């Protein structure tokens, strides 16, 4: 049973470009969480999704950021018109049930905006 | 004031020492308390979680929750160099979201 898979592991984008981060949850998990981590800081919740539904996006910036978790395929975190401040590690976690007490994390995608 | 406070360290101790890592919080509604370990450039991994007040032991690790003081601790006995990592506390709010501490960087010196 493969763990949570995130790709790419590293992503470099120029200011103004789009970044697409992918997360494939563990087999049997239907809940996905996205977090952002800045250097020397804890994880900041961004969005919680179930298949085809956004449950809680209270941590998502109102502009430029969007997330989806389609019926088939990975969850996607999309950042449009990236700025330097978007540079961070983005982690995805999946869990088999609501609550996240059994959440397992992927290795993260490190986004660098130049 | 942050909802969860955690000293970022670094905390450096000799191999074999007992390590004490702590978090304080302000939201009395938190019910679940977790400790995650994160190695450099890796995703966090769940070490332990506890519900409400009390102690929970797992091998060399003991998690302690004191809800009256809004204080949680993780103790590591017989610390090993492989325990060197960042330890993050996390707490679950009423919306089932995890609220994270900033993490404490732990260094175990051989």
């Amino acid at each position: 049973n493969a763990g949570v898979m995130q790709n790419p592991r590293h992503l470099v984008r120029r200011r103004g470009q789009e970044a697409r981060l992918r997360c494939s949850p563990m087999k049997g998990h239907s809940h996905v969480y996205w977090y952002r981590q800045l250097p020397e800081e804890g994880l900041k919740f961004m969005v919680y999704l179930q298949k085809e539904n956004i449950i809680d996006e209270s941590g998502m910036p109102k502009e430029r950021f969007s997330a989806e978790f389609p019926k088939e395929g990975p969850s996607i975190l999309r950042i449009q018109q990236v700025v330097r401040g978007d540079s961070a590690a983005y982690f995805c976690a999946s869990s088999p049930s609501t609550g996240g007490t059994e959440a397992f994390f992927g290795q993260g995608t490190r986004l660098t905006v130049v | 004031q942050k909802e969860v406070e955690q000293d970022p360290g670094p905390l450096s101790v000799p191999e074999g020492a007992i390590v004490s890592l702590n978090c304080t919080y302000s939201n009395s509604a938190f019910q679940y308390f977790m400790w995650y370990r994160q190695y450099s450039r890796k995703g966090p991994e769940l070490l332990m979680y506890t519900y409400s007040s009390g102690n929970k032991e797992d091998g060399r690790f003991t998690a302690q929750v004191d809800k009256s003081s809004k204080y949680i601790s993780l103790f590591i006995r017989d610390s090993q160099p492989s325990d060197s990592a960042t330890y993050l506390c996390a707490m679950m709010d009423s919306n089932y979201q995890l609220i994270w501490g900033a993490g404490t960087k732990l260094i175990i010196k051989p």
Side-chain angles (χ1 to χ4, degrees):
Chain A
N1 186 10
V4 178
M5 303 300 293
Q6 287 188 252
N7 68 82
R9 290 293 308 276
H10 301 275
L11 182 62
V12 179
R13 284 288 177 266
R14 295 186 186 276
R15 280 177 295 172
Q17 290 185 318
E18 178 180 286
R20 291 172 71 88
L21 288 64
R22 295 175 186 77
C23 170
S24 296
M26 286 181 70
K27 188 176 180 180
H29 287 192
S30 58
H31 300 255
V32 166
Y33 309 80
W34 284 95
Y35 294 87
R36 177 163 63 178
Q37 187 176 37
L38 295 171
E40 311 301 324
E41 294 190 15
L43 292 107
K44 293 287 193 290
F45 167 77
M46 298 183 75
V47 62
Y48 162 39
L49 309 105
Q50 295 179 25
K51 287 281 188 181
E52 299 184 281
N53 283 308
I54 296 174
I55 306 303
D56 183 348
E57 56 182 347
S58 58
M60 287 275 273
K62 293 289 185 285
E63 298 177 350
R64 301 189 297 109
F65 285 72
S66 62
E68 63 176 8
F69 189 15
K71 187 176 180 181
E72 301 291 337
S75 175
I76 306 287
L77 179 67
R78 184 181 176 206
I79 310 172
Q80 295 178 289
Q81 298 175 318
V82 295
V83 300
R84 289 245 172 91
D86 296 333
S87 295
Y90 291 84
F91 288 96
C92 142
S94 73
S95 74
S97 59
T98 303
T101 56
E102 300 169 37
F104 295 88
F105 282 80
Q107 298 299 304
T109 293
R110 274 156 187 81
L111 172 66
T112 302
V113 180
V114 297
Chain B
Q1 182 191 8
K2 293 182 181 179
E3 278 195 281
V4 179
E5 299 277 358
Q6 186 176 10
D7 187 334
L11 176 63
S12 183
V13 301
E15 183 177 356
I18 296 174
V19 175
S20 173
L21 301 163
N22 311 294
C23 289
T24 58
Y25 63 94
S26 56
N27 187 347
S28 58
F30 288 144
Q31 293 286 348
Y32 286 95
F33 305 89
M34 290 85 161
W35 285 97
Y36 282 78
R37 178 174 62 196
Q38 186 176 23
Y39 291 111
S40 180
R41 299 196 171 275
K42 301 287 187 184
E45 55 177 326
L46 179 65
L47 277 177
M48 301 180 70
Y49 79 87
T50 54
Y51 174 71
S52 199
S53 284
N55 291 2
K56 185 175 183 179
E57 190 173 318
D58 184 1
R60 297 185 295 111
F61 297 88
T62 300
Q64 192 173 77
V65 175
D66 182 350
K67 292 195 76 178
S68 62
S69 301
K70 297 191 181 69
Y71 189 88
I72 69 169
S73 300
L74 177 71
F75 298 98
I76 307 174
R77 291 185 300 280
D78 188 25
S79 55
Q80 307 293 313
S82 58
D83 295 328
S84 298
T86 296
Y87 290 79
L88 300 124
C89 64
M91 306 175 191
M92 186 168 290
D93 66 12
S94 56
N95 295 318
Y96 298 104
Q97 297 309 329
L98 293 174
I99 311 300
W100 295 81
T104 298
K105 185 173 182 178
L106 174 65
I107 301 168
I108 308 296
K109 297 175 293 185

